[in-house]
Amino acid sequence: MRRHPLLPLLAAVLVGAAVRAGKIATEVVVPDFVASYLLFIDTYGVFLQSGGGGAFQAVVYNPAGQQDRYYLAVVHAPSKTCVWVANRDAPITDRAAPLRLTARGISAEDPNGTVVWSTPAFASPVAALRLDESGNLALLDGRNRTLWQSFDRPTDVLVSPQRLPVGGFLASAVSDSDYTVGGYRLDVTAADAALTWNGSLYWLLSTDVKSPRAPEGAVASMAVNDRG
């Protein structure tokens, strides 16, 4: 039988990977893991960091210190920039309410135990939650196959090497302390990229003289280059 090349890495991480409350893990956590802002209050909600120096962090995040809005988020640690939010329209409303990782996926609960957000159902059990060095948060099965990843569900930021495919969009937050979907939106189509505000178009890439592009060929995706 052909051995999957990444299996030894995941197996090594799974051994002894039970994370105590309050201790930041590196790269991977496994079911059954529970986080809340209160459990990780000493690390300001951070429960997982990427490898290679920990440039990215997975965190139970309360932007601007809000005590009634907690999100599963990915933060770029050097700049303290929030680059992705899971439950932007359904925040956890209590610092003690749990965020759970089980074999079925991730779920966020409100104080009475009602699930306010969760990942979809999967055909295979979840074996690990991994945060890689590019800032992608992914659920893996026992063979290291990706079941779900944050790069497929961007919110209001793209990071390199993330791509925004045709049909994808970024949407602004209401404010720095409320990550509910706001009025500004960037959409990528097969012909263009468009900015709208509350549904009203105000910018097209094709009409911007400062944004050169190939004269022919359909758009496949938008990405951030090494100069931002």
Side-chain angles (χ1 to χ4, degrees), residues 190-191 205-206 211-219:
L205 179 66
S206 60
S211 303
R213 54 164 289 177
E216 297 180 358
V219 172

Side-chain angles (χ1 to χ4, degrees), residues 33-59:
F33 175 80
V34 179
S36 70
Y37 187 84
L38 185 60
L39 283 172
F40 288 85
I41 195 167
D42 290 342
T43 58
Y44 301 98
V46 178
F47 63 87
L48 178 64
Q49 64 183 7
S50 60
F56 291 93
Q57 298 173 332
V59 57

Side-chain angles (χ1 to χ4, degrees), residues 5-106:
L6 292 181
L7 279 177
L9 171 62
L10 182 55
V13 175
L14 291 179
V15 175
V19 179
R20 295 191 305 272
K23 182 179 180 181
I24 300 175
T26 298
E27 193 172 359
V28 170
V29 291
V30 302
D32 289 299
F33 175 80
V34 179
S36 70
Y37 187 84
L38 185 60
L39 283 172
F40 288 85
I41 195 167
D42 290 342
T43 58
Y44 301 98
V46 178
F47 63 87
L48 178 64
Q49 64 183 7
S50 60
F56 291 93
Q57 298 173 332
V59 57
V60 182
Y61 191 55
N62 62 333
Q66 294 294 311
Q67 297 303 304
D68 60 350
R69 296 191 191 105
Y70 296 88
Y71 303 89
L72 168 59
V74 175
V75 172
H76 180 245
S79 65
K80 301 187 185 304
T81 301
C82 182
V83 298
W84 179 79
V85 179
N87 54 319
R88 65 185 309 185
D89 289 322
I92 300 168
T93 57
D94 187 278
R95 66 178 187 167
L99 182 74
R100 301 184 189 276
L101 171 66
T102 70
R104 292 183 294 180
I106 311 170

Side-chain angles (χ1 to χ4, degrees), residues 73 123 170 223 226:
L170 301 179
D226 58 1

Side-chain angles (χ1 to χ4, degrees), residues 79-199:
S79 65
K80 301 187 185 304
T81 301
C82 182
V83 298
W84 179 79
V85 179
N87 54 319
R88 65 185 309 185
D89 289 322
I92 300 168
T93 57
D94 187 278
R95 66 178 187 167
L99 182 74
R100 301 184 189 276
L101 171 66
T102 70
R104 292 183 294 180
I106 311 170
S107 62
E109 299 178 4
D110 65 13
N112 65 14
T114 301
V115 174
V116 296
W117 175 88
S118 67
T119 50
F122 306 113
S124 302
V126 172
L129 175 67
R130 181 180 67 192
L131 179 62
D132 69 23
E133 295 179 38
S134 62
N136 188 30
L137 189 67
L139 289 172
L140 309 177
D141 69 9
R143 299 183 64 184
N144 273 13
R145 294 174 298 193
T146 300
L147 300 172
W148 172 97
Q149 59 183 353
S150 61
F151 270 16
D152 289 340
R153 297 158 179 81
T155 48
D156 60 351
V157 176
L158 283 183
V159 297
S160 180
Q162 185 178 9
R163 292 183 175 273
L164 187 63
V166 168
F169 65 92
L170 301 179
S172 66
V174 167
S175 70
D176 290 340
S177 61
D178 181 357
Y179 285 140
T180 303
V181 173
Y184 290 94
R185 178 165 160 152
L186 170 66
D187 284 271
V188 178
T189 71
D192 219 328
L195 284 169
T196 58
W197 178 70
N198 289 333

